[in-house]
């Protein structure tokens, strides 16, 4: 035993001093004079299949990512044939090739997915802004085509809510010119009131820097209880005309855009005619001009927004009309919900109770204010 240990010690000593070569299976030799690295040889073996094909052998549904390009996404029609070819080649390749490529030996026996059952996500085309395109006009066109939001709860009026029918005395024909304020914009607005026998027409035009931003028209008949609207139209800047139709024969209210229908309530008014109707009601009954008095009516807009508007007289207030102080009766309509419309209107007894000031505020804070600058009325 001592002899064997001595021989091993001598051999190790020789390796450390150099000159002794150790033989590995296969005939290769390792010399102690070479750098001290792991005694393994890395061989380059020709691969019968590319790594891309081997990776593609796993048929996984693709999810396409939208890119800012108009080019259509490539359809993976050759995914299965390439996968089958790669698997077949991998199965025929030597074990060393499969191991070097990271493919388990059992992968070749895995079933190939049926392409007809693979669902590929469709790519969503991305919006690409072409040089020189008018982005503002494109945005405005998109908004014009989109359905307009309908305020709530005005769009859901209480059908069985009882609203009185009032005696009326209509004011004479008049043209009222207002100073208009809408947000940060200032301009002018003309309200033309034209009663003719049993018919009437009411026209409103709002302009800023000579550009019409709002046009509303109400037309219909005149009865003992005041205005009987037949059609109301509303048009905003760069938007199509929308309308509310009061179908007297059918007993319902329909719209040019929304498919909603409302019953034709007695005394119902539109978003423009209510101003003249309120004047006609208080002119026929002076008691309604006293603080605390109330006037109620159904009011309908062209966007199928409808609700009961209750105006309450709160006080007499001074209004500056073209430098002259006018004592007008202020009426307030309180909103019934977060998206409802708040309205204030000042009626001048010296001008047949026509409005000399008005303010409308929607739920999003947008406000339209009118202050009379000039009035031309018939005697």
């Amino acid at each position: 035993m001592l002899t064997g240990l001595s021989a091993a010690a001598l051999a190790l000593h020789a390796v450390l001093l150099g000159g002794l070569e150790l033989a590995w299976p296969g005939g290769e030799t390792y010399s102690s004079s070479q750098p001290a690295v792991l005694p393994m040889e890395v061989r380059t073996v020709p691969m019968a299949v590319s790594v891309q094909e081997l990776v593609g052998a796993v048929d996984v549904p693709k999810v396409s990512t939208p890119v800012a390009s108009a080019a259509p996404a490539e359809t993976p029609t050759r995914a299965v044939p390439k996968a089958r070819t790669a698997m077949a080649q991998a199965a025929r390749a030597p074990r060393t090739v499969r191991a070097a490529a990271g493919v388990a030996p059992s992968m070749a026996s895995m079933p190939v997915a049926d392409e007809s059952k693979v669902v590929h996500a469709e790519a969503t085309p991305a919006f690409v802004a072409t040089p020189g395109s008018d982005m503002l006009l494109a945005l405005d066109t998109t908004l014009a085509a989109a359905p307009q939001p309908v305020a709530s709860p005005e769009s859901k009026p209480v059908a069985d809510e009882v609203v009185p029918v009032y005696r009326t005395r209509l004011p004479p024909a008049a043209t009222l010119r207002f100073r208009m304020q809408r947000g940060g914009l200032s301009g002018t607005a003309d309200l033309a009131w034209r009663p003719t026998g049993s018919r009437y027409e009411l026209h409103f035009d709002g302009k800023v820097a000579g550009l019409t931003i709002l046009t509303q028209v109400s037309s219909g008949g005149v009865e003992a209880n005041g205005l009987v609207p037949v059609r109301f139209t509303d048009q905003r800047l760069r938007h199509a005309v929308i309308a509310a139709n009061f179908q007297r024969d059918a007993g319902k209210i329909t719209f040019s855009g929304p498919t909603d229908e409302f019953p034709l309530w007695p005394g119902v008014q539109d978003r423009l005619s209510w101003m003249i109707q309120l004047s006609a009601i208080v002119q026929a009954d002076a008691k309604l001009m006293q603080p605390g008095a109330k006037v109620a009516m159904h009011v309908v807009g062209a966007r199928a927004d409808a609700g009961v508007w209750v105006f309450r007289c709160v006080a007499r207030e001074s209004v500056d009309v073209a430098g002259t102080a006018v004592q007008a009766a202020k009426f307030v309509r309180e909103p019934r919900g977060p998206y409802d419309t708040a309205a204030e209107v000042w009626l001048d007894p010296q001008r047949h109770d026509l409005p000399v000031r008005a303010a409308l505020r929607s739920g999003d804070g947008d406000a339209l204010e009118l202050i009379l600058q000039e009035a031309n009325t018939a005697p």
Side-chain angles (χ1 to χ4, degrees):
M1 181 176 181
L2 180 60
T3 304
L5 291 175
S6 300
L10 291 174
L12 178 60
H13 181 71
V15 169
L16 294 174
L17 294 178
L20 181 64
E21 292 184 345
L22 301 179
W24 293 91
E28 297 87 349
T29 61
Y30 172 77
S31 175
S32 62
S33 61
Q34 297 174 354
V37 295
L38 289 176
M40 295 185 64
E41 180 181 359
V42 180
R43 297 183 179 182
T44 303
V45 181
M47 296 183 64
V49 59
S50 65
V51 176
Q52 289 83 357
E53 289 180 312
L54 288 172
V55 174
V58 181
D59 194 4
V60 180
K62 295 184 178 181
V63 178
S64 303
T65 303
V67 296
S69 172
E74 180 181 356
T75 305
T77 55
R78 298 181 57 83
V80 170
K82 288 181 66 177
R84 290 172 177 167
T85 302
M87 287 185 177
Q89 291 176 343
R92 293 193 299 271
R95 181 183 299 271
T96 55
V97 175
R98 296 199 299 268
V103 181
S106 60
M107 178 177 285
S109 61
M110 293 176 62
V112 180
D114 186 358
E115 175 69 2
S116 63
K117 298 180 180 180
V118 178
V119 179
H120 299 281
E122 296 290 339
T124 303
F127 176 76
V128 180
T130 58
S133 61
D134 187 350
M135 296 300 295
L136 179 60
L137 180 58
L139 177 62
D140 188 74
T141 303
T142 303
L143 293 176
Q148 297 292 328
V150 178
S152 176
E154 284 190 334
S155 59
K156 298 178 180 180
V158 180
D160 58 354
E161 187 168 355
V162 178
V163 175
V165 176
Y166 303 88
R167 295 184 299 109
T168 60
R169 187 170 67 190
L170 293 175
T175 300
L176 308 179
R177 168 155 290 191
F178 298 92
R179 183 175 76 249
M180 181 179 68
Q181 187 79 24
R182 187 181 182 91
L185 300 177
S186 297
T188 61
D190 290 334
L191 179 65
W193 157 241
R194 298 290 184 269
T196 306
S198 62
R199 305 288 300 173
Y200 82 90
E201 184 165 316
L202 188 60
H203 198 285
F204 179 90
D205 270 320
K207 298 182 179 181
V208 174
L211 187 65
T212 301
I213 64 170
L214 174 62
T215 298
Q216 293 180 332
V217 179
S218 174
S219 58
V222 175
E223 296 180 354
N225 299 122
L227 303 185
V228 183
V230 172
R231 182 174 173 82
F232 169 68
T233 61
D234 185 306
Q235 184 176 21
R236 311 298 171 94
L237 178 64
R238 291 184 178 179
H239 287 65
V241 178
I242 53 178
N245 300 295
F246 299 79
Q247 301 185 29
R248 301 289 163 180
D249 294 339
K252 61 183 179 180
I253 306 171
T254 59
F255 306 90
S256 59
T259 58
D260 302 71
E261 290 186 358
F262 296 136
L264 192 66
W265 298 287
V268 62
Q269 301 298 315
D270 57 53
R271 283 275 187 154
L272 184 59
S273 65
W274 70 265
M275 299 180 73
I276 301 299
Q277 179 73 358
L278 182 59
S279 298
I281 290 173
V282 299
Q283 241 198 147
D285 189 350
K287 295 190 299 295
L288 296 176
M289 297 282 280
Q290 301 300 319
K294 295 181 180 180
V295 176
M297 66 183 77
H298 284 280
V299 177
V300 178
R303 292 180 176 83
D305 47 322
V308 175
W309 287 28
V310 179
F311 295 92
R312 178 172 53 89
C313 184
V314 294
R316 293 286 180 118
E317 290 187 358
S318 178
V319 178
D320 186 350
V321 177
T324 302
V326 173
Q327 292 299 313
K330 180 182 179 180
F331 286 81
V332 174
R333 189 262 170 161
E334 301 290 349
R336 293 187 168 190
Y339 300 100
D340 211 348
T341 301
E344 296 175 296
V345 60
W346 289 257
L347 305 181
D348 182 11
Q350 303 301 318
R351 291 182 172 87
H352 308 282
D353 294 318
L354 287 169
V356 292
R357 182 181 176 188
L360 299 175
R361 294 178 178 84
S362 57
D364 58 5
D366 190 18
L368 173 68
E369 186 171 4
L370 305 172
I371 300 179
L372 186 67
Q373 299 298 297
E374 182 182 351
N376 297 315
T377 59

